[in-house]
Amino acid sequence: MLIIKNIHASVDGKEILKGINLSIKPGELHAIMGRNGSGKSTLANIITGRDNFLVTKGSITYNGNNLLEMSIEDRALAGIFMSFQYPVSIPGVNNAYFLRAALNAKLKHQGKSEINASDFMRLIREKVKLVNLDESYLSRAVNDGFSGGEKKRNEILQMLTLEPELSILDETDSGLDIDALKTIAEGVNNFRTETRSFLAITHYQRLLEYMHPDYIHVLIDGKIVKSGDISLANQLEEKGYSWLEK
Amino acid sequence: MAREIKQFQKQFDNLLAYWPNEDPELRKLRSKAFDQFKSLGLPTKQWEEWQFTDFSSLKKINFRLSQSKDLPQIPENISGRIPNSYLIYIVNGHYQKDLSEIPESISISTGIDHFQSNKELYIDNNNLNPFSALNTSMMNSGICIALDSNTVIDKPIQVIYSTIDILNPLMNHPRFIFQLGKNSEATIIEHYKGSTELAYFINPVSNVILEDNAKLCHFRIEEDDALANHIASTNYILNSDSQLNSVSTSSGSKLFRHNINLAFNNKGGYATINGLSTIKNDQHHDQHIIIDHFHNACQSEQLFKYILSDRSSGVFNGKVVVKENTQHTDADQANKNLLLSSDAIMNTNPQLEIYSEDVKCSHGSTTGQIDSEALFYLQSRGISKSKSIELIINGFAKDIVEQINNEDVKNYINTKVTNWIEEVLIDA
Amino acid sequence: MPNALAVAGLLFQYRANMKNNQSIIDSAISQEYEYGFTTDIDQEKIPPGLNEDVIKIISSKKQEPEWLLDWRLKAYKQWLKMDEPDWSKLNYDDIDFQAISYYAAPKQKEKLKSLDEVDPELLETYNKLGIPLEEQKLLSNVAVDAVFDSVSVTTTFKEELEKHGVIFCSFSEAVQKHPDIIKKYLGSVVPTTDNYFAALNSAVFSDGSFVYIPKNVRCPMELSTYFRINAAKTGQFERTLIVAEEGSHVSYLEGCTAPMRDENQLHAAVVELVAHKNAEIKYSTVQNWYPGNPKTGKGGIYNFVTKRGTCLGDNSKISWTQVETGSALTWKYPSCILKGNNSIGEFYSVALSNNFQQADTGTKMIHLGKNTKSTIISKGISAGKGQNTYRGGVKIMKNADNARNFSQCDSILIGENCGAHTFPYIDVRNPSAQMEHEASTSKIGEDQLFYCNQRGISTEDAVSLIVNGFCKDVFNELPMEFAVEAQKLMEVSLEGAVG
Ligand SMILES: Nc1ncnc2c1ncn2[C@@H]1O[C@H](COP(=O)(O)OP(=O)(O)O)[C@@H](O)[C@H]1O
Ligand SMILES: [Mg+2]
């Protein structure tokens, strides 16, 4: 479904990704681990189309289409979702209204009719429970004044509502207490199907205990230096990253 | 011709007669500027940029240009001297070379010499400011400090411009030029100090140029006599990646007006411009600041504070202009005022004028009296009311004082502010 | 509906910004002005030009008492001596006051008693404007006084209001029926000499609305007036007076539209509000006069308006809310004079300047009484080549002990050729005052746009979403129906803007 070939990317002339290869098939959950600053978010941003990074080499195809040529929203409408590491707040914009606008954009793209306000509220009330977020958050402005954990739950709420094919979770676990972590992992696990894929970015092994990834990749200085199964995460937990560095 | 203009004309003619052998080009410059001054006249209430300040005191008194006979007995201890600094000493308009201590690495020149080798610096662009024109026409004192590229001065240079023991209402039009070459660094204290029995008029213009990557700390201290009229312009030009830390305090002078103009002449400049005015009785202090963001990636921060007592009045007018097609501008502007008396008046107008999209600009302004909550808090901790008030006022001034990154200057200002507060509280 | 080219144009704006790729499309075809139709009805119009005779004609057509004619003539003489103000940031060609016709009225027989008598064409116009008068009677709780060009045509809900003793009628009618009140208050808040345009209005005003709320009456419904300029080469000079007696309460709404014309049309209105002890007046405006041709900047309304309210009595309150999306030029400073102790003044404003529009707007809060409070929230949006200026004035006078002011002026910029300016002018003459002013200017957030895009929302929709969020604090102050309308208006106005 997603094929990344030899991606090089830079910002302000500084090379950050130095040849990434990664291929994700339907139903798979891949985890990327790495220290702060190794380029994990950069990779997520390139897949979703953020403009401030320059792809200098390589290709990304998504369901056979050249992803790099698509606009940000076309990628989103094609089924790619990112749970942001740092979700931005949008003052004055009602959270539920925002989510309905996003859902309607998707329905419209699929040639379906838009969802009306009352059906939407019914739908969203269900989902809110899944992430253990109070309903009152729906009527607040998007992420405005939300705590770190509330923002992350809100991201997952959006994922559950928009039902993407490929979900990129950029450090959705960081800053969460253990209960919140479980809630979110559970939300994701219940959401897993044979067609939905995930790319979970983290630098803790913690999340993976709950999520059971199919593959683990270690990103160091813009390159995937090692890939493996869950045992790799355990090794990292014991030995840290240095044994993988040259 | 208005009476006061006639008076200035007489002084102007005297000046030309006094220096008959001046460079003809300088004469031309003076005459042109004087014509301009005449055509503008003194500001009136109808002038938007001058509306809150009354200049009639300049009409009532005939000020005479300082002459060599006005050189007083030089006091043994120079008042206002800040320790651990070089000194350039000017008294009643007369440069005292012998008393000055000048670092070897800089070149100092007085007006005429400097003019001859740097004529381009004397072109007066500030052509709507009549006082600036007046200064150009009659500049009679001041000094130029020039730093070569890569020079770093180890100690601050204190320029004391003192006015003492005058026998007539005098006027002076000092012209200062501070030029910092590429990568050079300096701290300059421009210090006005006065103690007189008579009114006087001082009208300085300071042109400050920072070449690429230069760093300047410019501390301007105004402590003229309470009878003085001090009307000044400071013009900063910042080239690529240069940095300015400017702190200006004013506490003397009955009438004080200071125009600060700052232009970023190239990308990457950084300027903090701060001011503290502590005024009482019927003092009137007016500051106008314009910062032109005409180039990319420049950053400016302004903070001006006023503490007003008795019947004093303050004016703050700050403007940030961001030109079309500039990128990554970051400008912040704040004005905070503390009114200590029911007769004090504060006029403030922090403005933003923005023609480019890629900006982050903000400004804020507050005016109020001593926070009663804070007062209560301190008193409840057993501190006397007057001591509490003193602490709060001191705390208010602190933001600005803390911007002074030289301990000796900071101590000097701190002492002055504390004394001022004590005096005001005793009077009250 | 967003049109495809506008979307393309918008995308271009953001991509181009980030990558400095200037080459794609220059501008997109912008949204047509939705209310740009003219109405074909017989107009009674006096020839262009202004002199004492014209004023006499206006006055006699309205069968005014002599004192009013004298008042007009005095204002006219004063106007002749005044200069057009030049201190604003507005740039425009000189207005030829002799080329304007100062009176245009739809030709009609007599006073109308019911809607059935109104010219069907006229009613159709209102329908296009979205104010179906007939339906309103049934569906909504809004009484409408519609001012078509200069003469008030009809007023609904009269009877219901009369029951409560509320007077809501055209200004001309009030002059006939309630001359004492008019005489007492006319010019009491905005004197004829106040400014150039107020003087002009005082000389030539043709009609407007009058509201009187008796003591301790809470007006049972929201009162509303629609203004529309229809006739070519006419000016509109309406005059509104609202008097709220002790302990009364009223909410008044005003909407404005004008057809598309190539020449500029002048609108110089005066609004006076008087709130007595414990009274409250809430005045809301949604202004979308024709802004001029989005591509050439030709045409559009010149909107020079003087709006002012006096909080005469203790504990009174006046609140202005405005959404200004139209007009080629806007020159408008709804103000409050806070005379009564504990009185409150509020100003909530959204001003959008797109394409060639220029707005110079803000408020003045004059604190005279003790414990007076004022709040100013201003949101400026500049797009295209638009220039938006906030110009305010907060004066805290000597006797205004414990006065409070809070001002917040935020601007956003969309595109590279627009401007935003803030001139707050603050004057404090009492130490117990507490005044706080905050302002910020920035471009629309790239991170916010990316976030919306990542959720599949197009850039155009994202911009309108973010801008609407930015304006929320002001929209919240509008009555519900107006808030929805305002939001829609922002969308429409922005579509044209970002090209
Ligand atoms: N917009 C940017 N401008 C400059 N450097 C950036 C930018 N974004 C990321 N970087 C740099 O790229 C590197 C990788 O960052 P990131 O992908 O966020 O790391 P991670 O998510 O693995 O912690 C870091 O060194 C970071 O400083
Ligand atoms: Mg990251």
Side-chain angles (χ1 to χ4, degrees):
Chain A
M1 160 155 80
L2 181 77
I3 302 165
I4 300 176
K5 277 197 185 139
N6 193 27
I7 278 289
H8 290 250
S10 58
V11 58
D12 295 338
K14 177 180 146 205
E15 187 161 67
I16 292 168
L17 298 184
K18 302 171 179 170
I20 300 273
N21 291 293
L22 183 67
S23 156
I24 301 179
K25 297 200 181 68
E28 290 178 352
L29 194 158
H30 290 241
I32 293 196
M33 302 185 70
R35 286 204 181 109
N36 278 338
S38 55
K40 304 182 298 291
S41 294
T42 305
L43 179 63
N45 281 319
I46 280 170
I47 298 171
T48 48
R50 196 169 202 134
D51 304 64
N52 43 355
F53 299 95
L54 191 67
V55 175
T56 50
K57 223 190 209 174
S59 69
I60 306 181
T61 55
Y62 180 71
N63 292 335
N65 297 317
N66 181 350
L67 198 65
L68 296 177
E69 274 183 359
M70 290 163 71
S71 71
I72 306 164
E73 61 270 32
D74 284 347
R75 299 181 202 203
L77 294 171
I80 299 180
F81 176 92
M82 169 158 78
S83 164
F84 285 65
Q85 182 175 3
Y86 305 109
V88 65
S89 63
I90 313 179
V93 176
N94 178 287
N95 204 18
Y97 182 85
F98 170 80
L99 190 47
R100 183 156 82 96
L103 183 58
N104 278 335
K106 182 183 166 120
L107 291 170
K108 200 168 142 205
H109 176 76
Q110 295 172 338
K112 295 182 187 153
S113 59
E114 300 192 347
I115 186 166
N116 68 36
S118 59
D119 288 347
F120 176 76
M121 285 317 287
R122 216 165 297 136
L123 174 80
I124 198 78
R125 286 211 177 93
E126 295 283 306
K127 310 275 183 192
V128 164
K129 282 184 211 138
L130 297 178
V131 294
N132 213 352
L133 201 63
D134 195 88
E135 253 182 53
S136 65
Y137 286 85
L138 292 174
S139 50
R140 288 174 51 178
V142 181
N143 296 325
D144 204 18
F146 287 27
S147 74
E150 288 156 0
K151 282 184 187 168
K152 296 296 168 75
R153 289 172 207 246
N154 197 33
E155 294 291 287
I156 297 304
L157 170 68
Q158 294 182 14
M159 180 188 83
L160 297 180
T161 311
L162 297 174
E163 305 188 330
E165 256 182 20
L166 171 65
S167 304
I168 302 168
L169 310 175
D170 190 357
E171 303 211 11
T172 304
D173 54 337
S174 57
L176 296 184
D177 58 43
I178 196 75
D179 290 339
L181 191 70
K182 277 187 191 157
T183 312
I184 282 184
E186 216 168 277
V188 172
N189 286 337
N190 290 334
F191 186 64
R192 280 187 78 170
T193 65
E194 274 162 28
T195 52
R196 291 186 185 139
S197 322
F198 297 83
L199 181 64
I201 294 170
T202 180
H203 52 243
Y204 303 115
Q205 185 237 7
R206 225 165 44 147
L207 179 74
L208 306 177
E209 279 173 20
Y210 299 105
M211 289 230 257
H212 319 295
D214 301 300
Y215 300 95
I216 287 181
H217 310 278
V218 179
L219 190 66
I220 291 180
D221 192 21
K223 274 193 203 145
I224 291 177
V225 294
K226 195 157 179 73
S227 300
D229 59 16
I230 186 77
S231 61
L232 182 56
N234 297 334
Q235 268 176 296
L236 286 172
E237 178 80 346
E238 273 171 39
K239 303 194 228 164
Y241 289 101
S242 21
W243 63 283
L244 290 166
E245 283 160 349
K246 355 161 197 141
Chain B
M1 209 189 296
R3 204 198 64 84
E4 68 275 8
I5 305 285
K6 266 191 207 147
Q7 173 58 24
F8 284 117
Q9 177 83 56
K10 200 173 133 203
Q11 291 301 313
F12 180 64
D13 295 341
N14 285 349
L15 178 127
L16 295 188
Y18 192 72
W19 282 319
N21 300 323
E22 258 187 351
D23 183 326
E25 275 190 65
L26 180 54
R27 295 225 131 189
K28 232 169 79 194
L29 181 76
R30 286 186 188 281
S31 301
K32 221 179 113 208
F34 195 73
D35 286 344
Q36 197 181 2
F37 168 71
K38 279 193 294 189
S39 75
L40 291 165
L42 291 178
T44 68
K45 294 255 175 242
Q46 275 68 50
W47 296 25
E48 166 96 16
E49 297 296 325
W50 302 80
Q51 55 181 328
F52 298 110
T53 300
D54 179 8
F55 294 94
S56 56
S57 57
L58 296 181
K59 297 181 187 170
K60 287 184 198 132
I61 302 172
N62 294 339
F63 293 104
R64 172 171 70 68
L65 277 168
S66 175
Q67 302 170 358
S68 46
K69 66 176 182 202
D70 295 311
L71 185 66
Q73 175 93 41
I74 307 285
E76 231 157 77
N77 286 318
I78 296 170
S79 149
R81 187 74 179 99
I82 289 172
N84 304 315
S85 63
Y86 297 108
L87 175 68
I88 289 170
Y89 186 52
I90 302 168
V91 60
N92 292 359
H94 305 284
Y95 174 41
Q96 302 302 304
K97 199 169 180 185
D98 298 344
L99 292 172
S100 300
E101 295 165 50
I102 298 163
E104 279 163 13
S105 48
I106 62 168
S107 65
I108 292 276
S109 41
T110 48
I112 315 293
D113 307 339
H114 189 259
F115 176 80
Q116 265 147 358
S117 44
N118 295 280
K119 287 177 182 157
E120 74 285 353
L121 290 179
Y122 285 84
I123 295 164
D124 194 0
N125 291 324
N126 207 348
N127 48 15
L128 284 178
N129 183 336
F131 294 104
S132 192
L134 193 62
N135 175 284
T136 306
S137 69
M138 296 202 230
M139 46 191 174
N140 64 343
S141 54
I143 205 108
C144 165
I145 300 177
L147 266 75
D148 283 343
S149 300
N150 306 314
T151 314
V152 177
I153 308 286
D154 56 338
K155 286 192 293 188
I157 304 166
Q158 184 183 21
V159 181
I160 298 185
Y161 197 101
S162 103
T163 308
I164 45 173
D165 302 336
I166 54 174
L167 301 169
N168 289 293
L170 292 187
M171 69 173 169
N172 273 309
H173 303 272
R175 172 69 61 112
F176 288 105
I177 293 178
F178 306 139
Q179 244 179 317
L180 274 74
K182 285 188 183 154
N183 307 316
S184 64
E185 286 178 31
T187 297
I188 295 175
I189 307 158
E190 185 180 337
H191 194 163
Y192 296 88
K193 190 97 188 126
S195 172
T196 59
E197 305 285 311
L198 286 172
Y200 60 95
F201 172 31
I202 178 165
N203 181 33
V205 170
S206 305
N207 290 335
V208 183
I209 300 128
L210 274 66
E211 296 299 344
D212 296 358
N213 216 27
K215 289 196 180 77
L216 172 68
C217 296
H218 182 205
F219 305 126
R220 189 184 198 280
I221 306 169
E222 184 272 329
E223 288 183 289
D224 271 304
D225 193 88
L227 295 167
N229 300 279
H230 183 128
I231 296 171
S233 289
T234 302
N235 305 303
Y236 294 108
I237 293 176
L238 271 70
N239 286 296
S240 292
D241 302 312
S242 56
Q243 291 182 23
L244 170 71
N245 170 9
S246 153
V247 179
S248 140
T249 65
S250 71
S251 58
S253 297
K254 185 164 189 304
L255 170 64
F256 175 76
R257 161 79 181 216
H258 188 195
N259 280 37
I260 301 176
N261 303 302
L262 185 146
F264 288 105
N265 208 25
N266 211 321
K267 53 133 198 81
Y270 176 73
T272 58
I273 307 199
N274 300 288
L276 176 66
S277 297
T278 44
I279 51 177
K280 58 185 182 180
N281 298 328
D282 53 358
Q283 284 182 295
H284 177 83
H285 282 209
D286 174 351
Q287 297 185 88
H288 271 58
I289 295 98
I290 298 181
I291 299 190
D292 287 326
H293 278 268
F294 285 2
H295 289 273
N296 291 347
C298 293
Q299 194 179 340
S300 68
E301 284 171 39
Q302 285 176 63
L303 175 61
F304 280 80
K305 290 195 165 188
Y306 289 67
I307 307 174
L308 303 101
S309 183
D310 306 326
R311 299 168 309 284
S312 64
S313 50
V315 179
F316 170 79
N317 197 306
K319 190 190 269 186
V320 172
V321 184
V322 182
K323 208 177 117 186
E324 306 86 283
N325 301 320
T326 51
Q327 286 166 350
H328 307 314
T329 296
D330 196 332
D332 197 21
Q333 179 193 49
N335 162 239
K336 295 186 174 166
N337 314 303
L338 187 59
L339 302 179
L340 301 180
S341 126
S342 58
D343 296 314
I345 296 177
M346 185 66 209
N347 242 297
T348 166
N349 190 20
Q351 308 170 52
L352 298 173
E353 205 169 314
I354 294 161
Y355 298 93
S356 163
E357 175 195 37
D358 190 358
V359 296
K360 234 176 72 201
C361 296
S362 63
H363 69 209
S365 172
T366 58
T367 300
Q369 62 186 357
I370 286 182
D371 182 0
S372 53
E373 294 278 325
L375 191 59
F376 176 73
Y377 183 83
L378 290 177
Q379 284 180 270
S380 75
R381 294 292 177 269
I383 301 165
S384 74
K385 184 168 179 187
S386 64
K387 188 69 196 167
S388 301
I389 292 177
E390 190 187 320
L391 283 173
I392 292 170
I393 304 176
N394 231 319
F396 180 81
K398 194 125 196 132
D399 281 1
I400 305 290
V401 179
E402 289 300 318
Q403 296 288 327
I404 300 171
N405 56 1
N406 175 286
E407 286 307 312
D408 295 301
V409 183
K410 194 193 287 187
N411 287 340
Y412 182 85
I413 297 291
N414 234 338
T415 312
K416 291 289 168 183
V417 171
T418 309
N419 292 346
W420 185 89
I421 297 170
E422 276 168 11
E423 272 169 44
V424 164
L425 292 179
I426 287 166
D427 291 350
Chain C
M1 286 302 294
N3 74 52
L5 267 173
V7 175
L10 206 139
L11 289 176
F12 151 70
Q13 286 248 323
Y14 291 94
R15 295 295 123 75
N17 279 346
M18 293 174 214
K19 294 195 173 161
N20 276 331
N21 173 0
Q22 293 284 332
S23 65
I24 319 174
I25 319 162
D26 203 333
S27 69
I29 292 170
S30 50
Q31 178 78 15
E32 291 285 305
Y33 182 65
E34 216 181 313
Y35 306 100
F37 48 85
T38 57
T39 304
D40 265 337
I41 44 170
D42 274 353
Q43 294 272 352
E44 186 188 12
K45 208 167 108 174
I46 56 176
L50 183 55
N51 51 49
E52 293 202 359
D53 289 339
V54 168
I55 294 166
K56 284 176 189 158
I57 295 172
I58 295 171
S59 189
S60 82
K61 275 197 187 296
K62 307 177 94 45
Q63 299 164 354
E64 285 176 356
E66 199 160 322
W67 67 265
L68 190 51
L69 174 62
D70 292 345
W71 192 81
R72 287 174 180 274
L73 289 172
K74 207 172 133 208
Y76 174 67
K77 287 195 190 107
Q78 284 159 338
W79 178 72
L80 286 175
K81 284 185 246 152
M82 296 168 89
D83 291 324
E84 211 174 318
D86 60 359
W87 42 257
S88 77
K89 267 211 152 298
L90 305 173
N91 259 319
Y92 57 95
D93 293 337
D94 286 346
I95 300 169
D96 181 357
F97 290 94
Q98 294 304 334
I100 295 169
S101 166
Y102 288 86
Y103 187 80
K107 238 187 216 156
Q108 272 164 354
K109 294 127 247 160
E110 264 135 54
K111 278 261 154 64
L112 301 160
K113 286 196 192 66
S114 80
L115 286 174
D116 309 337
E117 295 176 41
V118 177
D119 188 328
E121 279 257 20
L122 239 181
L123 287 181
E124 185 51 33
T125 305
Y126 291 138
N127 287 331
K128 282 192 212 165
L129 289 173
I131 10 165
L133 280 168
E134 298 100 319
E135 267 188 70
Q136 271 192 24
K137 271 194 153 177
L138 303 166
L139 295 175
S140 78
N141 205 24
V142 179
V144 173
D145 179 23
V147 176
F148 196 99
D149 282 328
S150 308
V151 171
S152 175
V153 184
T154 181
T155 312
T156 49
F157 283 100
K158 256 199 167 133
E159 288 151 32
E160 165 76 6
L161 291 172
E162 271 166 12
K163 265 202 297 200
H164 292 84
V166 172
I167 306 170
F168 179 37
C169 64
S170 76
F171 203 90
S172 327
E173 192 182 331
V175 168
Q176 304 299 335
K177 290 193 182 155
H178 313 282
D180 295 347
I181 310 179
I182 298 287
K183 211 170 167 176
K184 181 167 171 195
Y185 292 106
L186 179 67
S188 71
V189 184
V190 181
T192 51
T193 48
D194 188 79
N195 68 71
Y196 189 76
F197 294 102
L200 177 64
N201 174 288
S202 303
V204 303
F205 75 88
S206 32
D207 213 331
S209 305
F210 171 71
V211 177
Y212 178 84
I213 317 287
K215 197 168 164 178
N216 294 329
V217 168
R218 219 188 147 81
C219 187
M221 61 191 76
E222 286 180 329
L223 305 180
S224 158
T225 308
Y226 269 84
F227 296 106
R228 177 174 166 76
I229 301 182
N230 196 53
K233 292 203 169 62
T234 49
Q236 174 148 331
F237 305 95
E238 85 272 355
R239 190 146 191 130
T240 299
L241 172 63
I242 300 179
V243 179
E245 290 289 2
E246 193 177 324
S248 68
H249 177 284
V250 62
S251 166
Y252 182 89
L253 322 173
E254 155 193 83
C256 327
T257 52
M260 295 195 276
R261 292 193 191 281
D262 279 346
E263 79 270 16
N264 297 106
Q265 284 174 285
L266 179 64
H267 175 248
V270 170
V271 175
E272 297 180 280
L273 311 183
V274 180
H276 287 279
K277 198 172 156 187
N278 298 324
E280 181 177 341
I281 303 176
K282 190 173 167 62
Y283 194 108
S284 315
T285 307
V286 173
Q287 183 264 110
N288 62 331
W289 299 115
Y290 179 50
N293 184 304
K295 275 185 285 181
T296 61
K298 246 180 115 115
I301 299 290
Y302 285 179
N303 193 25
F304 293 92
V305 177
T306 307
K307 290 185 167 173
R308 191 176 306 150
T310 303
C311 285
L312 260 188
D314 291 355
N315 311 313
S316 55
K317 177 175 174 186
I318 290 180
S319 167
W320 298 99
T321 305
Q322 59 172 24
V323 177
E324 304 277 328
T325 62
S327 293
L329 294 182
T330 300
W331 180 100
K332 186 178 167 195
Y333 316 92
S335 303
C336 299
I337 300 169
L338 304 170
K339 263 196 193 141
N341 293 336
N342 314 314
S343 60
I344 298 175
E346 293 176 342
F347 175 75
Y348 300 96
S349 166
V350 166
L352 177 142
S353 349
N354 188 3
N355 300 314
F356 292 86
Q357 284 176 275
Q358 306 174 57
D360 194 302
T361 184
T363 183
K364 262 193 203 156
M365 294 287 174
I366 319 278
H367 292 253
L368 299 168
K370 300 193 194 324
N371 306 315
T372 45
K373 246 199 256 172
S374 61
T375 305
I376 300 171
I377 307 282
S378 159
K379 304 280 179 177
I381 301 126
S382 314
K385 292 189 164 64
Q387 295 292 331
N388 208 323
T389 300
Y390 168 80
R391 186 182 303 278
V394 175
K395 267 202 162 118
I396 296 181
M397 306 308 279
K398 190 133 188 56
N399 295 321
D401 291 346
N402 298 314
R404 298 274 174 279
N405 163 264
F406 175 75
S407 317
Q408 188 181 342
C409 306
D410 297 322
S411 311
I412 43 177
L413 298 155
I414 305 172
E416 285 158 22
N417 303 312
C418 53
H421 319 291
T422 316
F423 306 116
Y425 291 98
I426 298 147
D427 185 357
V428 181
R429 291 157 184 266
N430 184 310
S432 63
Q434 234 181 61
M435 76 108 284
E436 225 177 297
H437 167 90
E438 280 171 21
S440 73
T441 304
S442 60
K443 66 173 167 178
I444 197 159
E446 274 170 27
D447 288 348
Q448 295 175 340
L449 279 177
F450 177 64
Y451 191 80
C452 294
N453 284 159
Q454 210 300 307
R455 298 298 183 251
I457 297 168
S458 72
T459 302
E460 170 140 338
D461 289 348
V463 167
S464 111
L465 204 72
I466 294 165
V467 169
N468 268 311
F470 173 76
C471 300
K472 195 74 167 195
D473 294 345
V474 175
F475 289 168
N476 279 346
E477 294 298 319
L478 287 170
M480 191 60 184
E481 321 83 88
F482 261 46
V484 174
E485 161 119 22
Q487 200 149 333
K488 219 182 83 196
L489 209 55
M490 292 301 288
E491 261 158 53
V492 171
S493 307
L494 276 170
E495 272 168 33
V498 264

